[in-house]
């Protein structure tokens, strides 16, 4: 290359470093080919005059224009001031003068400016030391403001400054460098810089090792970062660097520290021996942390806090002094496929409101707890392995929630899962096994739901419940426990439903102390001990359980216990079926006890059980055994095929006779075996347990009412299995399980007809056949009535059952009172069923005309049975059935099944039938109200039909009130899930839809959402109807949270929730007293609304406004809930804290809003102060810093000031006569009344009443509330004045009669005068 200088040297390897040549010469390479080569100059720098220049700065200033320039520097110290790099310059140490040599090249500065600065491309510095020695606090030793300089094999130290500052848009590279001993950060990256740092050492700096800020990025690979005073690596702002393959260790603080909105990638780093957390993520950071090793930290491994998130994947986190993973504040990270092991302070520990998702992690050999959940943490743990811990597998405490599913929890020294304090977790489909202590331990006041888990081989019991636990155990498999399956102690009120509990060495279920559980639909089988043990004053309700193959007694009751066992199957045991000892009592009804080796039922000691309507079969040593001192009540039991004696007693023959006369042992074995098979089939069938468990009490006012009704029926009907079968069928039918009831009756009828094992030769058998036919006639009618529309097939069968029953009871001779009554009931159902069949146009062999004739015949026969002694309620039944017949004939005429005609009155037959039916129903309604009251299942039938006829004759508005009344009564008597209640709700809501269509001008066929219906009704102050409209299926689906949070359905959910929060508040405020149930729902809706619009508020102004409205209603609703003592999942203190936080956020967002908007927040803050004072008075909150009376007065005064301020703002904007202003007036009157007496508040209450009468009308609920308040105060004042006047007339001492006198205050009513605040 002839154009190169003489001192060029061998530097061709540097040609490729420059992107664009500044000058070139042509070199002939081949024929027709030309290659451009940059011109390169090389100069030397040294101190002894043998070199080209004495300083680097002098050499730099000599660089010719447009050339690449290489400066070879000999060893020595060069105080260059600010060394400002130029484009295309390479500064390199002379060979043998590198940073580690005896005579290195040292570029230094002492003034308040950098030692080295670069703003250019194509520059390079290699093999030199760059130092800065003062003054303290200087900017930096090396500053890169722009360009892409390369620092290679350099040492940077700044004892009074930052080592390397990289800023602007620069993209420098540091390779095999060392940055150490700086009083600030080692390397600081700011602005939008994007450096590459590789194979370098960053250590012993007084600040951070590497500090990324602003929107910087960059790549940091294979570096050794250690012994820095702050974190090894810190990232803030919105930086997004890549850290890969680095060693970050021995830091005097943490390893990595990410804050604000940093979004870095941490991949395959080795982070160890740091004095604080290996990785700490805070602010709103969202990093990706993958395949790192975080080990041997003197504090925690990874900590996520504030509102940070992030993805943590395939990391190894081990041997840290505190928790391997910690989360706190409101962090929400994702941890997936990590190994978290040997943590001395636990594996994963979450505090406060931390959430997140933890999936497929291995949490192994940690101390204290593999997973620890505290505060209000609420995360999802899915598919993790938690094993071999020296403490608990999972510890959920304080008020933590969280969901744990599909995890394997095994071989932990203490409990596999322990739940304490008031925690409420959800555990589903986990495997908890081989623990050295209990599998699942629940203590204190903990709750929670535990479903479909598998627990086995846990040493101290698979499930142990202590103290005042009230959890739910549903559909778990619990087996092979050395001390037992489920152990329930203390005052526990747990629900145990649908579990399989088997092969446990102790009892499958043991209930001790004062526990009172509900155990429904469980299978307890193959236990080495007893199936069910109830001891030590325990109680409990045990229904529909299968208890079989127990080595000892299937059920053991002892030591003053008093359980209630209903409809259980206790069979195939190696000892007694049911064993009672000591002073045990209890109630045992409708159980099947069969094929046990010892007695079916053994009553020892001084036990006194009550046993009714049980079936006891095939007891090896007898059916029922009583010791000498035992007793009890035994009635209606079936005892068959049990040893040599069905009954055995330990005393005299008289006792044996006394027991036997109350029971029967005449049941055919085939029948009882069939019933046992049916029960077994129901329990074993997929979903069968659920069918049985869903049986509800017909009367929900008391928990025992349904069972008491069934027992009473069995006593009236008789004592044999057919009658017991009828009891079960009626119980199922009353609960709406019509199909199961009919199936059971069909099986029993098969033994009573001509093809059965015995003939119908006796009146008793005919009576049984008639009873079953009669019950089926009633059952199928109710089944059809509960459907969306009547089934012709059901009604055909119902009519034939009724006809069979009538034929049976007519043929029985002689007829006693019971038979006559059954015959009358048969005629009643015969008329109803054939009338309905006529309405449907006939069915089976019955035409519409034939069905009508059969119904008319039944009514005529029933009329002939009426006498002077017939009670009014029986006459009402006949009137009702006549009304149904007339209505069905009219409907059949309208459908064209029967002919119509014009009557003498000029009206059609159809119209006359409808009018006459309405009259009959109204008369029946009056009779039934007198006999049973309005809230009765008899009376509600008349109410239903009056509503139908009023709608048919006088329009929908006339029928609406009757339909509303029917729905309310059915909800109260039959429950919301009963088919008849659901049918009533469908009818009522469809009428409301129709009403709205007419009011809004829509066509009847237009689709109207229930939320719109509710909004219309709320505007007309029909709050109750609005709430019912919101329970329609389309609105319930709108109120269910959508899966996608960016969908239109999600926004709609938020809008409906916001509306519901307001609606339910207004409803509660309009009532005489606030309803806690309504306010809980109002609070839940406001939480949902805030959740939606907090995620959407940046989208547009509308969502921001709705977010503020959600905060406002959240504050009001939770303040009111605080006043009521909390409710649902919120305590009083939690409700207050949520209200306070919501209103603070709302106030901050509305600072620049108009006066009327700010007044809303001020008003709500006043409500919060008022509600806190009320909660303190009621004892829901306690004062820790001052006396109770002082705190109450202080809060009332604060509330009064806030209401007066809101009143001034609203009056200035709207005037005094406005619905906003009147809210403040209401509360000012209330506070003045509380603080200064009745007279001070009376004028404000008078003002409120006048304004509401003018604006809302006299009948509005809020006007009526204001009138009640004012008149109660006025009445109290007048009473006080009369009392004072009476005292004066009697010569007593003169007393004041002012409105705020002591007498006036003491006479003030408190219940009716409760302020209706918060609307």
């Amino acid at each position: 290359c002839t154009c190169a200088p003489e001192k060029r040297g061998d530097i061709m390897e540097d040609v490729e470093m420059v992107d664009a040549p500044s000058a070139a010469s042509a070199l002939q390479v081949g024929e027709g080919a030309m290659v451009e080569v940059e011109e390169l100059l090389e100069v030397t720098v040294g101190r002894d005059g043998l070199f080209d220049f004495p300083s680097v700065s002098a050499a730099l200033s000599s660089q010719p224009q447009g050339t690449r320039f290489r400066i070879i520097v000999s060893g020595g110290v060069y105080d260059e001031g600010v060394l400002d790099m130029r484009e295309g310059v390479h500064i390199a140490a002379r060979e043998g003068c590198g940073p580690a040599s005896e005579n290195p090249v040292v570029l230094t500065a002492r003034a308040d400016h950098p030692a080295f600065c670069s703003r250019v491309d194509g520059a390079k510095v290699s093999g030199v030391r760059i130092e800065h020695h003062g003054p303290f606090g200087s900017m930096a030793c090396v500053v890169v403001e722009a360009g892409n300089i390369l620092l290679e094999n350099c040492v940077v130290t700044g004892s009074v400054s930052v080592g390397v500052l990289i800023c602007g848009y620069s993209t420098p590279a540091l390779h095999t460098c060392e940055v150490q001993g700086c009083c600030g950060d080692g390397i600081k990256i700011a602005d939008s810089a994007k450096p590459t740092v590789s194979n370098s050492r960053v250590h012993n700096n007084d600040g951070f090792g590497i500090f990324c800020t602003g929107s910087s990025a960059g790549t940091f690979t294979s570096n050794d970062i250690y012994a820095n005073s702050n974190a090894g690596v810190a990232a803030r702002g919105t930086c997004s660097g890549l850290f890969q393959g680095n060693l970050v260790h021995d830091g005097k603080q943490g390893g990595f520290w990410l804050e604000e909105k940093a979004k870095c990638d941490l991949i395959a780093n080795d982070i160890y021996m740091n004095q604080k957390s290996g990785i700490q993520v805070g602010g709103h950071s969202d990093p990706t942390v993958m395949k790192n090793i975080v080990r041997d930290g003197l504090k925690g491994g990874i900590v996520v806090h504030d509102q940070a998130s992030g993805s943590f994947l395939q990391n190894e986190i081990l041997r840290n002094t505190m928790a391997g993973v910690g989360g706190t504040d409101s962090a929400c990270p994702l941890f997936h496929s990590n190994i978290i092991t040997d943590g001395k302070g636990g594996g994963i520990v979450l505090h406060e409101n931390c959430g997140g998702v933890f999936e497929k992690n291995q949490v192994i050999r940690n101390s204290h707890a593999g997973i620890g959940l505290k505060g209000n943490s609420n995360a999802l743990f899915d598919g993790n392995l938690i094993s071999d811990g020296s403490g608990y597998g999972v510890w959920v405490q304080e008020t933590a929630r969280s969901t744990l599913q599909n995890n394997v929890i095994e071989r932990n020294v203490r409990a596999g899962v322990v739940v304490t304090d008031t925690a409420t977790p959800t555990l589903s489909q986990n495997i908890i096994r081989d623990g050295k202590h209990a599998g699942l331990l629940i203590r204190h006041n903990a709750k929670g739901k535990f479903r479909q888990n598998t627990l086995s081989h846990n040493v101290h019991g698979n499930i142990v419940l202590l103290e005042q636990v009230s959890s739910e155990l549903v559909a778990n498999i619990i087996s092979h426990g050395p001390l037992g399956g489920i152990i329930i102690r203390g005052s526990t009120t747990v629900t145990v439903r649908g579990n399989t509990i088997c092969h446990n060495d102790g009892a499958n279920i043991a209930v001790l102390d004062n526990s009172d559980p509900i155990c429904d639909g469980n299978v307890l089988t193959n236990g080495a001990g007893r199936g069910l043990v109830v001891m030590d004053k325990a109680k409990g309700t045990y229904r529909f359980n299968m208890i079989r193959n127990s080595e000892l007694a299937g059920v053991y009751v002892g030591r003053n216990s008093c359980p209630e066992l209903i409809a259980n199957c206790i069979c195939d045991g190696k000892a007694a079926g049911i064993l009672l000892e000591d002073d045990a009592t209890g109630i045992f009804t409708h159980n099947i006890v069969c094929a046990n080796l010892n007695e079916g039922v053994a009553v020892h000691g001084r036990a006194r059980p009550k046993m009714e309507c049980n079936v006891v079969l095939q007891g090896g040593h007898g059916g029922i055994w009583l010791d000498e001192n035992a007793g009890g009540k035994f009635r209606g039991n079936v005892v068959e095929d049990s040893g040599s004696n069905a009954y055995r007693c330990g005393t005299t023959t008289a006792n044996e006779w006394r027991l036997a006369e109350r029971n029967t042992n005449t049941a055919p074995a085939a029948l009882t075996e069939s019933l046992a098979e049916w029960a077994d089939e129901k329990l074993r069938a997929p979903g069968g347990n659920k069918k049985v468990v869903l049986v509800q009490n017909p009367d929900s006012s008391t928990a025992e009412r349904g069972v008491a009704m069934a027992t009473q029926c069995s006593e009236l009907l008789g004592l044999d299995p057919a009658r017991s079968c009828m009891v079960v069928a009626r119980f199922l039918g009353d609960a709406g399980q019509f199909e199961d009831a009919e199936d059971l009756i069909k099986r029993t009828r098969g033994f009573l007809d001509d093809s059965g094992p015995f003939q119908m030769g006796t009146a008793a058998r005919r009576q049984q056949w008639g009873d079953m036919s009669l019950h089926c006639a009633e059952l199928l009618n109710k089944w059809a009535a509960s459907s969306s529309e009547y089934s012709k097939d059901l009604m055909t069968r119902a009519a034939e059952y009724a006809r069979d029953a009538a034929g049976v009871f007519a043929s029985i001779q002689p007829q006693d009172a019971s038979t006559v009554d059954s015959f009358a009931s048969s005629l009643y159902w015969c008329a109803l069923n054939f009338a309905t069949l006529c309405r449907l146009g006939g069915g089976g062999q019955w035409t519409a005309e034939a069905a009508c004739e059969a119904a008319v015949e039944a009514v005529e026969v029933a009329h002939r049975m009426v006498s002077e002694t017939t009670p009014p309620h029986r006459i009402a039944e006949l009137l009702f059935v006549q009304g149904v017949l007339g209505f069905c004939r009219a409907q059949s005429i309208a459908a064209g099944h029967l002919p119509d005609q014009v009557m003498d009155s000029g009206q059609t037959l159809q119209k006359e039938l409808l009018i006459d039916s309405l009259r009959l129903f109204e008369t029946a309604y009056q009779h039934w109200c007198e006999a049973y009251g309005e809230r009765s299942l008899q009376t509600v039938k008349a109410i239903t039909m009056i509503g139908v006829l009023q709608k048919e004759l006088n329009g929908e508005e006339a029928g609406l009130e009757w339909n509303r009344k029917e729905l309310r009564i059915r909800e109260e008597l039959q429950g919301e899930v009963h088919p008849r209640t659901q049918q009533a709700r469908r009818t009522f809501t469809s009428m409301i839809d129709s009403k709205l269509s007419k009011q809004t001008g829509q066509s009847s066929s237009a689709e109207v959402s229930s939320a719109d219906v509710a909004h219309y009704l709320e505007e007309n102050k029909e709050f109750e109807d609005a709430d019912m409209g919101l329970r329609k299926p389309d609105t319930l689906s709108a109120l269910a949270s959508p899966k996608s949070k960016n969908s239109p359905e999600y926004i709609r959910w938020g809008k409906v929730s916001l509306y519901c929060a307001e609606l339910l508040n207004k409803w509660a405020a309009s009532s005489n007293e606030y309803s806690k149930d309504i306010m809980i729902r109002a609070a839940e809706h406001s939480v949902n609304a805030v959740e939606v619009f907090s995620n959407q508020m940046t989208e547009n102004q509308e969502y921001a406004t709705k977010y503020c409205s959600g905060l406002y209603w959240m504050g009001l609703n939770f303040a009111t809930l605080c006043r009521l003592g909390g409710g649902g999942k919120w305590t009083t203190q939690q409700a207050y804290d949520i209200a306070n936080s919501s209103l603070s956020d709302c106030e901050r967002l509305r600072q620049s809003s108009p006066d009327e908007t700010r007044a809303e927040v001020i008003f709500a803050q006043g409500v919060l102060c008022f509600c806190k004072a009320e909660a303190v008075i009621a004892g829901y909150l306690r004062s820790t810093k001052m006396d109770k009376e002082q705190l109450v007065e202080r809060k009332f005064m604060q509330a009064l000031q806030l209401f007066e301020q809101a009143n001034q703002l609203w009056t200035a904007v709207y005037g005094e006569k406005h619905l906003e202003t009147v809210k403040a007036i209401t509360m000012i009157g209330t506070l003045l009344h509380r603080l200064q007496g009745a007279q001070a508040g009376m004028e404000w209450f008078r003002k409120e009443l006048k304004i509401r009468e003018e604006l809302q009308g006299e009948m509005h609920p809020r006007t009526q509330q204001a009138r009640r308040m004012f008149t109660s105060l006025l009445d109290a004042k007048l009473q006080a004045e009369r009392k004072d006047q009476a005292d004066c007339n009697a010569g007593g001492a003169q007393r004041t009669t002012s409105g705020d006198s002591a007498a006036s205050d003491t006479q003030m009513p408190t219940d009716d005068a409760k302020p209706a605040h918060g609307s």
Side-chain angles (χ1 to χ4, degrees), residues 326-639:
T328 187
D329 302 325
S330 299
C332 190
L334 166 65
F335 278 79
H336 186 91
S337 300
N338 302 280
I339 297 175
I340 305 163
T341 183
D342 297 299
K344 299 178 181 62
I348 300 171
V349 178
L350 306 184
H351 297 261
E352 297 185 11
N353 295 301
C354 185
V357 178
F358 298 79
E359 299 175 324
K360 298 185 179 179
N361 302 287
Q362 297 182 44
V363 187
I364 305 172
R365 294 192 305 275
N366 296 283
S367 301
H368 297 298
I371 296 174
L373 305 173
K374 301 181 179 180
N376 291 307
S377 54
N378 187 9
L380 170 64
F381 293 85
D382 191 352
N384 303 282
L385 170 65
I386 304 114
S387 71
D388 299 288
S390 60
Y392 300 112
V394 178
W395 187 1
V396 190
Q397 56 185 309
E398 296 174 3
T399 56
R401 291 169 287 171
S402 296
T403 298
L404 291 89
Q405 61 188 32
N406 304 311
N407 303 287
V408 176
I409 305 167
E410 61 184 3
R411 296 191 302 274
N412 295 285
V413 172
R414 305 188 73 176
V417 177
V418 60
V419 185
T420 63
D421 303 322
T422 57
T424 57
T426 299
L427 273 72
S428 63
Q429 298 181 326
N430 302 283
I431 297 174
I432 306 171
R433 64 191 179 196
D434 300 312
K436 308 302 187 294
H437 201 273
L440 171 61
L441 173 61
I442 310 175
R443 303 194 61 178
H444 304 147
N445 293 293
K447 298 182 181 178
K449 298 179 180 179
F450 306 87
R451 299 181 176 180
Q452 297 181 311
N453 303 286
T454 300
L455 299 96
S456 64
H457 299 94
N458 296 287
V459 173
H460 288 180
N462 282 314
I463 298 179
V464 179
L465 303 102
L466 306 175
E467 283 124 16
Q468 297 179 2
V469 168
S470 56
S471 303
E472 292 184 10
L473 306 175
V474 180
N476 303 284
I477 298 175
I478 304 158
S479 68
H480 298 92
L483 285 187
I486 301 176
I487 301 171
I488 304 172
R489 305 203 64 166
S491 300
T492 300
T493 56
V494 67
T495 298
V496 183
R497 179 177 294 128
N499 302 281
T500 299
I501 309 163
C502 59
H503 298 286
N504 295 286
D505 292 344
N508 280 319
I509 297 180
V511 184
L512 311 174
D513 305 329
N514 293 304
S515 299
D516 190 12
I518 296 174
C519 298
D520 286 351
N522 305 284
V523 176
L524 290 73
T525 182
N526 297 101
R530 292 160 173 155
L532 170 65
V533 172
V534 187
M535 296 176 61
D536 301 325
K537 300 181 181 179
K539 299 178 183 177
T541 302
Y542 309 85
R543 299 175 296 194
F544 318 114
N545 301 287
M546 171 69 75
I547 305 172
R548 63 187 306 174
N549 290 325
S550 301
E551 289 294 326
L552 300 177
V555 175
Y556 175 84
V557 184
R559 292 205 290 252
N560 296 298
S561 295
C562 184
E564 183 175 11
L565 275 73
I566 306 164
N568 302 280
C569 181
I570 305 156
C571 62
D572 300 315
K574 306 301 188 296
I578 299 175
L579 172 61
L580 296 99
E581 290 185 340
D582 307 320
D583 294 306
T585 57
I587 300 172
F588 301 78
T589 60
H590 302 98
N591 301 285
I592 297 175
V593 187
C594 63
N596 297 285
L597 289 184
N598 290 343
E599 299 89 352
V601 178
V603 187
H604 294 172
R606 293 181 300 276
R608 296 285 192 277
K610 178 181 179 181
M611 308 195 73
E612 297 184 344
C613 303
N614 301 283
V615 177
V616 184
L617 305 173
Q618 300 174 346
H621 291 170
I624 300 177
W625 165 264
L626 271 74
D627 270 356
E628 181 174 354
N629 295 316
K633 181 178 181 181
F634 300 79
R635 179 180 298 173
N637 302 290
V638 177
V639 184

Side-chain angles (χ1 to χ4, degrees), residues 1190-1240:
Q1190 291 178 333
L1191 177 60
V1192 170
E1193 183 177 4
R1194 179 180 176 184
K1195 285 298 173 183
F1196 277 159
M1197 288 299 299
Q1198 290 176 352
L1200 179 60
Q1201 292 170 2
L1202 290 166
F1203 292 138
E1204 288 174 340
Q1205 186 180 351
N1207 183 46
Q1208 291 173 1
L1209 292 173
W1210 274 330
T1211 302
V1213 176
Y1214 300 124
E1216 193 172 63
K1217 295 184 178 181
H1218 191 274
L1219 287 178
E1220 290 294 302
T1221 314
V1222 78
K1223 296 193 300 185
I1225 291 172
T1226 302
M1227 296 309 299
I1228 291 171
T1230 300
L1231 267 299
L1232 287 174
H1233 172 208
R1234 294 293 181 91
L1235 293 168
Q1236 302 175 21
Q1239 186 64 34

Side-chain angles (χ1 to χ4, degrees), residues 1156-1178:
E1156 62 270 22
T1157 306
R1158 288 190 300 109
E1160 286 186 352
V1161 183
I1162 294 170
F1163 176 81
Q1165 289 171 332
V1167 170
L1168 179 58
C1169 292
F1170 175 83
C1171 290
K1172 182 173 183 179
E1174 291 279 281
V1176 171
I1177 292 172

Side-chain angles (χ1 to χ4, degrees), residues 73-194:
V73 186
S74 295
V77 178
Y78 299 86
D79 191 348
E80 300 285 350
V82 180
L83 196 61
D84 205 345
M85 283 297 286
R86 295 189 178 187
E87 185 173 352
V89 173
H90 177 191
I91 299 175
R94 185 179 178 182
E95 185 175 352
C97 298
S101 68
E102 294 182 357
N103 186 26
V105 175
V106 180
L107 305 180
T108 184
R110 297 182 182 276
D112 187 12
H113 52 68
F116 187 92
C117 185
S118 177
R119 304 177 186 85
V120 298
D121 291 330
K124 179 179 178 182
V125 179
S126 60
V128 304
R129 290 179 64 90
I130 306 172
E131 299 180 357
H132 199 299
H133 298 292
F136 182 82
S138 299
M139 181 177 181
C141 184
V142 175
V143 177
V144 182
E145 296 180 339
N148 60 359
I149 187 171
L150 168 65
L151 275 71
E152 186 176 53
N153 194 29
C154 295
V155 176
V156 178
T157 179
S159 59
V160 292
S161 64
V162 172
V164 179
L165 174 61
I166 304 169
C167 54
Y169 289 90
S170 61
T171 57
L174 280 75
H175 181 64
T176 62
C177 293
E178 182 177 3
V179 183
Q180 56 92 14
C182 302
C183 73
D185 306 320
I187 301 173
K188 183 175 181 179
I189 303 98
D191 304 329
S192 298
K194 192 175 181 180

Side-chain angles (χ1 to χ4, degrees), residues 1027-1041:
D1027 180 56
M1028 291 168 58
L1030 288 170
R1031 298 191 188 201
K1032 282 189 60 181
D1034 69 311
T1035 308
L1036 289 175
S1037 64
L1039 293 176
S1041 175

